[in-house]
Amino acid sequence: IWGGHLRGDFSLGRIDVTTLTGFEIYERFRDSDRDFTPDSVFEAISNDAAKQFTQDFNFSGRLFDSAVRWNLGGSYLGERVKGSQTSFLREPGTALDIYQFGIKTRETVVAFNQNTAAFMTYGDLTWDFLEDFTLELGARFNSEKKDFYIQRFRSDSVAILGIVSRDDSGRWNKPTGKISLSYHLTDNVTFHAKFTHGYKAGHFNTNSVVDNIKAEPEFIDAFEWSANLNAYEGRVVGRFGFFY
């Protein structure tokens, strides 16, 4: 696994700008004994590799030197993933099989490729609207597209050459957001209440070629209540929270 990132911070007048460019590449090989016995009953060899590039631009500042702080930005993610898995299953043979000592090996090879392009734009406001209260509002729009191809070969299949393949694509566009209210009881004690609406884009199942290949997006609504404590000039720091 290797990768890196390049970060830049500068100002355009009263606007602070941050740019973050990153990439990551990995390759992996696994040889698995899935039956967990001394016998070779169910084995698997898998390879997968991915390349990922990310870019994020962030702009932040204050509205007319007021108590309102703002933050805007956008992100891009491009990723290519490829993988394959060869499974070996030993089972009793029949008179028509070519086998040794009454045992035959069924070989299944699954290979897939997936390309992902994701765009995100986001913004949030933080407003100290009273001396002891802070309101935070945030929103993000997510757009993700995946192109997927999968191929399976089974040594005992009656299909042409034992190969079954399928390609598919999916695009998901969804907004998410959050709202948070903080109450500063004292300089050392703060209470928070937050609600977030989260989202995970759909994806493709590499264990199936024909059925249930595409999984639908997932959503979550989360509530959080917490308290922060900072006492004795920072000698005692604590956080207590409840999350649902």
Side-chain angles (χ1 to χ4, degrees):
I1 301 173
W2 65 280
H5 73 269
L6 177 66
R7 178 184 176 121
D9 296 280
F10 55 94
S11 297
L12 297 175
R14 297 185 177 182
I15 300 176
D16 296 324
V17 182
T18 298
T19 173
L20 187 63
T21 306
F23 71 94
E24 185 172 293
I25 298 175
Y26 85 84
E27 296 182 2
R28 178 170 56 177
F29 170 83
R30 290 173 292 172
D31 192 347
S32 306
D33 179 11
R34 296 187 170 182
D35 54 79
F36 300 104
T37 69
D39 299 325
S40 297
V41 180
F42 184 28
E43 320 295 326
I45 296 176
S46 60
N47 296 271
D48 58 293
K51 298 179 180 180
Q52 184 183 91
F53 170 81
T54 57
Q55 175 63 55
D56 180 80
F57 291 102
N58 182 268
F59 305 87
S60 61
R62 288 181 176 270
L63 288 180
F64 311 111
D65 294 329
S66 68
V68 178
R69 300 180 297 277
W70 60 270
N71 185 60
L72 296 174
S75 300
Y76 167 79
L77 179 146
E79 182 184 65
R80 293 183 177 181
V81 181
K82 61 180 181 179
S84 66
Q85 177 175 282
T86 303
S87 301
F88 305 92
L89 178 63
R90 305 194 72 182
E91 55 189 12
T94 67
L96 299 178
D97 294 321
I98 300 176
Y99 60 91
Q100 186 178 14
F101 306 116
I103 299 295
K104 71 171 183 177
T105 300
R106 186 179 74 193
E107 181 177 335
T108 302
V109 181
V110 176
F112 70 92
N113 293 284
Q114 178 176 273
N115 295 328
T116 302
F119 301 88
M120 292 149 282
T121 58
Y122 57 88
D124 59 72
L125 291 174
T126 302
W127 181 25
D128 300 320
F129 64 98
L130 290 175
E131 183 178 358
D132 299 328
F133 288 89
T134 300
L135 177 67
E136 295 183 46
L137 300 173
R140 188 172 80 171
F141 180 78
N142 312 273
S143 178
E144 186 165 325
K145 184 179 186 298
K146 292 181 179 179
D147 296 315
F148 184 78
Y149 174 80
I150 188 170
Q151 183 182 79
R152 183 187 67 194
F153 166 81
R154 288 180 56 173
S155 59
D156 61 345
S157 175
V158 296
I160 299 177
L161 300 179
I163 297 176
V164 179
S165 63
R166 179 176 175 180
D167 58 356
D168 203 345
S169 64
R171 180 182 291 275
W172 298 274
N173 301 299
K174 296 294 180 183
T176 57
K178 67 176 182 179
I179 180 172
S180 174
L181 181 64
S182 301
Y183 171 53
H184 310 285
L185 179 64
T186 67
D187 292 339
N188 298 321
V189 179
T190 303
F191 296 95
H192 306 276
K194 182 168 68 172
F195 167 77
T196 57
H197 176 68
Y199 158 79
K200 175 185 175 183
H203 60 275
F204 292 94
N205 179 15
T206 60
N207 292 323
S208 175
V209 177
V210 180
D211 300 324
N212 302 321
I213 188 173
K214 184 188 297 185
E216 295 300 321
E218 300 178 28
F219 301 89
I220 182 172
D221 292 322
F223 301 87
E224 182 178 355
W225 296 267
S226 62
N228 290 349
L229 172 66
N230 189 326
Y232 300 106
E233 297 181 348
R235 295 184 179 88
V236 177
V237 179
R239 174 165 182 166
F240 310 92
F242 174 77
F243 178 82
Y244 173 75

